[in-house]
Amino acid sequence: EAGVAQSPRYKIIEKRQSVAFWCNPISGHATLYWYQQILGQGPKLLIQFQNNGVVDDSQLPKDRFSAERLKGVDSTLKIQPAKLEDSAVYLCASNIRQQVLYNEQFFGPGTRLTVL
Amino acid sequence: RKEVEQDPGPFNVPEGATVAFNCTYSNSASQSFFWYRQDCRKEPKLLMSVYSSGNEDGRFTAQLNRASQYISLLIRDSKLSDSATYLCVVNMETGGFKTIFGAGTRLFVKA
């Protein structure tokens, strides 16, 4: 079974530039998550989708971050404009729809973003 | 106060040692609990779910104490390959669904 795919794996940009990350969850997984993991910290949930609808985006800095999952499958996370403090690993995860609370999340390899 | 707090670590132990990690959570509406393992520069992977009755998987034992709002992970007979960061995860539904990860506890097992 193919895992969660993410691209690019690494990205280096200058502050105030824009960047986009892509995620393709495991086939059949209706729930998709984007996390930000700063070095030395645990992952912080940015946004959760159920199919193509947003379930929770309370921790997404909406002035600069946006995310979409138009067809309920793959998803894009964008940062515009980037700040130095956005340097982190951006992790995408998915799990099956039923009983989301009790099911394992499967993570992709992440995108390591460096903002200079 | 953080919603999920873990032992700060790092823990440095010799092979064969028993090591225990603790995690406390602040929201009594928390409903499900997990331990994930994260190797250096890799993604987190589920180690085990945590149930009220406690559960064991080989050398790993997880316990949940809802009254005191903490969970624990015990690793017996540590192996070099157990070296990793262990993340405590709490899920809750309070008007909306929320997943909170702890900051992680780093474990180094040495020969």
Side-chain angles (χ1 to χ4, degrees), chain A residues 32-101:
Chain A
L32 184 149
Y33 311 80
W34 282 104
Y35 289 89
Q36 179 193 60
Q37 187 172 25
I38 292 172
L39 188 65
Q41 299 181 19
K44 181 181 102 172
L45 180 67
L46 294 175
I47 188 166
Q48 178 193 346
F49 292 95
Q50 187 99 306
N51 297 310
N52 61 350
V54 175
V55 173
D56 180 17
D57 63 357
S58 57
Q59 297 191 93
L60 187 73
K62 298 180 186 64
D63 57 334
R64 299 184 300 106
F65 286 64
S66 64
E68 60 183 16
R69 195 185 183 199
L70 294 176
K71 296 182 180 178
V73 180
D74 58 345
S75 175
T76 303
L77 176 70
K78 295 179 182 177
I79 307 175
Q80 181 179 16
K83 292 186 175 181
L84 296 176
E85 59 261 35
D86 298 332
S87 294
V89 175
Y90 291 84
L91 293 161
C92 179
S94 69
N95 67 1
I96 63 172
R97 180 176 182 171
Q98 292 82 7
Q99 295 182 310
V100 162
L101 272 178

Side-chain angles (χ1 to χ4, degrees), chain A residues 35 37 41-43 48 56 91 100-102 104-105 107-109 112, chain B residues 31-32 34 36 38 41 43-44 46 91-93 97 99 101-103:
Chain A
Y35 289 89
Q37 187 172 25
Q41 299 181 19
Q48 178 193 346
D56 180 17
L91 293 161
V100 162
L101 272 178
Y102 300 96
E104 175 183 2
Q105 293 186 31
F107 284 82
R112 187 173 298 273
Chain B
Q31 293 175 265
S32 60
F34 304 86
Y36 277 70
Q38 187 171 27
R41 301 179 78 86
E43 71 272 21
L46 180 68
N91 287 339
M92 62 192 79
E93 197 154 21
F97 175 83
T99 294
F101 277 75

Side-chain angles (χ1 to χ4, degrees), chain A residues 21-37:
Chain A
F21 313 129
W22 175 82
C23 171
N24 194 26
I26 292 172
S27 178
H29 281 198
T31 308
L32 184 149
Y33 311 80
W34 282 104
Y35 289 89
Q36 179 193 60
Q37 187 172 25

